Amino acid sequence: DGLYIMHKLLAELENDGWKTKVQFKAYKRALQGVSKPEYFDKMAKVFLERFRFVFDKHLRPCWTSDSILHYILGGNQVLANEFARWLVDYKRMSSDDEEPYQFTNQIIDMGAIHYRTRAQKNVKINVEECMNYLTADADPAAIMQTDFVKSHWDLIEEMGTFEYIEDTISLFDDTTWGHVDFEPLLEAVWNEIAIHACHQQRCENYVQLAALVAKTSVGEVRRTLRAIILSTIIRPFHQWAKQVLAERNPDKPPPRRVEGAARGELLVKFMRKFSKKLERAKRLAEERNIDTKAIQQKLVNQSMKTSAHHKNKNRAYF
């Protein structure tokens, strides 16, 4: 869903759409005193064309590939149910000549996760347009053969058999489960989907440094572990450290970043706190009989990664 939202926002800027946005009002006013404003119009056009090219080359293929498109099941509940219905419809098709699956034509609010804080605006999308975009190049036959879908097909099928949009199942709200226990599918989402990099972590400005995109030829194990480090240490540290510096110097503007000696000092303190949290988490996992070794294997075992799946699949062509 995040990929589609990015595509949708980019599409609003293309074809001179940026000229209608209030965010560019000051920029357009500044161009009024320029002798040849058409050069700047061309610059904006080329910039957006290049942005679209990179987006379609690096981001879209990664997140709409048959090996990970099932990640939709761990996201927005309406889209998750639509995806499950799509797979069930394919499974039950009597022939390949039937009409393409018709997704629900409905506008939904994507909620707090996608809330645009700066614009103070909720993000709303059309379910049909979103799912058509995400599944445009998808092969449901290949998706049905992925380990995740095969292992949890019974529950995915249960999710996909709800007939009306009002009856959507939320894996994260057991009051919507009815008579079916979706706990195994929920655990699979946490253990096999949530541990991977989210869409922001694959496209922000430090993405090349962190090597989170498969196009950089970095193995999936390293990408996954780096994403976890960024999510659990680097980002929380910067937020915490900026707050500490703001409290130390209340008369100064809040710092935009942590630099110099303060960075080293606060990082040591943060890691001490983090180590204590880690030890508490280990004790809690032991008390609840959680198989931490199995989770660790999913993270570090290359044979369980989608990149290994692609490699083995492509060997057949050579």
Side-chain angles (χ1 to χ4, degrees), residues 137-156:
D137 300 322
D139 180 2
I143 295 173
M144 293 291 293
Q145 294 303 313
T146 59
D147 292 338
F148 186 97
V149 173
K150 287 196 297 184
S151 300
H152 306 286
W153 174 246
D154 289 345
L155 293 178
I156 295 174

Side-chain angles (χ1 to χ4, degrees), residues 25-302:
K25 186 176 180 180
Y27 175 72
K28 291 190 297 179
R29 186 167 55 248
L31 290 181
Q32 293 177 0
V34 177
S35 59
K36 295 184 177 181
E38 62 271 15
Y39 289 161
F40 289 88
D41 286 343
K42 183 178 181 180
M43 178 185 68
K45 181 176 182 294
V46 171
F47 173 81
L48 290 171
E49 287 177 348
R50 180 64 183 175
F51 197 108
R52 171 60 72 181
F53 171 78
V54 174
F55 182 87
D56 289 343
K57 180 181 179 182
H58 290 282
L59 285 179
R60 189 172 184 271
C62 291
W63 289 107
T64 59
S65 66
D66 296 331
S67 59
I68 67 171
L69 192 59
H70 63 268
Y71 283 16
I72 296 175
L73 294 169
N76 178 272
Q77 68 182 69
V78 175
L79 300 183
N81 282 258
E82 286 287 320
F83 182 76
R85 293 189 186 102
W86 178 64
L87 289 181
V88 169
D89 179 77
Y90 169 78
K91 183 77 172 180
R92 297 178 177 178
M93 277 198 310
S94 58
S95 71
D96 294 333
D97 296 328
E98 292 189 18
E99 292 293 326
Y101 181 76
Q102 186 70 39
F103 292 105
T104 305
N105 185 9
Q106 181 184 16
I107 303 297
I108 61 172
D109 191 323
M110 297 303 291
I113 294 178
H114 291 287
Y115 180 74
R116 299 173 65 187
T117 305
R118 182 172 296 181
Q120 295 185 341
K121 185 178 181 181
N122 291 331
V123 174
K124 296 183 178 181
I125 65 170
N126 181 286
V127 174
E128 182 180 17
E129 292 178 0
C130 176
M131 293 303 299
N132 282 334
Y133 174 80
L134 295 176
T135 61
D137 300 322
D139 180 2
I143 295 173
M144 293 291 293
Q145 294 303 313
T146 59
D147 292 338
F148 186 97
V149 173
K150 287 196 297 184
S151 300
H152 306 286
W153 174 246
D154 289 345
L155 293 178
I156 295 174
E157 188 175 27
E158 286 283 354
M159 180 184 290
T161 54
F162 276 70
E163 189 172 350
Y164 302 105
I165 196 72
E166 294 82 2
D167 297 326
T168 54
I169 297 170
S170 172
L171 292 179
F172 306 99
D173 181 4
D174 57 9
T175 63
T176 67
W177 293 359
H179 64 283
V180 181
D181 181 12
F182 285 95
E183 187 67 29
L185 183 56
L186 175 62
E187 289 186 3
V189 168
W190 284 119
N191 293 335
E192 301 178 45
I193 295 179
I195 60 175
H196 284 205
C198 68
H199 64 87
Q200 291 96 340
Q201 291 167 324
R202 284 201 171 193
C203 63
E204 286 187 348
N205 56 355
Y206 52 70
V207 69
Q208 294 297 329
L209 176 64
L212 294 174
V213 173
K215 301 292 184 180
T216 57
S217 299
V218 172
E220 191 166 348
V221 169
R222 187 153 39 127
R223 296 200 310 274
T224 300
L225 296 179
R226 284 176 172 176
I228 293 174
I229 292 172
L230 288 170
S231 298
T232 59
I233 297 178
I234 303 301
R235 285 183 167 183
F237 161 69
H238 280 289
Q239 296 299 321
W240 173 80
K242 288 193 295 183
Q243 183 178 353
V244 171
L245 292 179
E247 293 173 354
R248 286 183 181 179
N249 305 284
D251 297 331
K252 295 182 179 180
R256 296 184 59 186
R257 61 183 63 187
V258 184
E259 299 175 318
R263 182 183 180 90
E265 171 208 347
L266 294 177
L267 181 59
V268 171
K269 292 182 177 179
F270 180 85
M271 289 308 300
R272 286 174 181 167
K273 293 176 179 289
F274 181 81
S275 297
K276 293 179 180 179
K277 289 182 179 179
L278 185 60
E279 291 302 319
R280 287 198 300 269
K282 288 180 178 178
R283 290 195 299 269
L284 184 60
E286 185 175 350
E287 293 173 3
R288 297 185 177 181
N289 297 319
I290 296 176
D291 191 352
T292 56
K293 290 185 178 180
I295 296 176
Q296 184 182 16
Q297 281 300 308
K298 287 185 180 295
L299 294 173
V300 303
N301 190 331
Q302 184 65 39

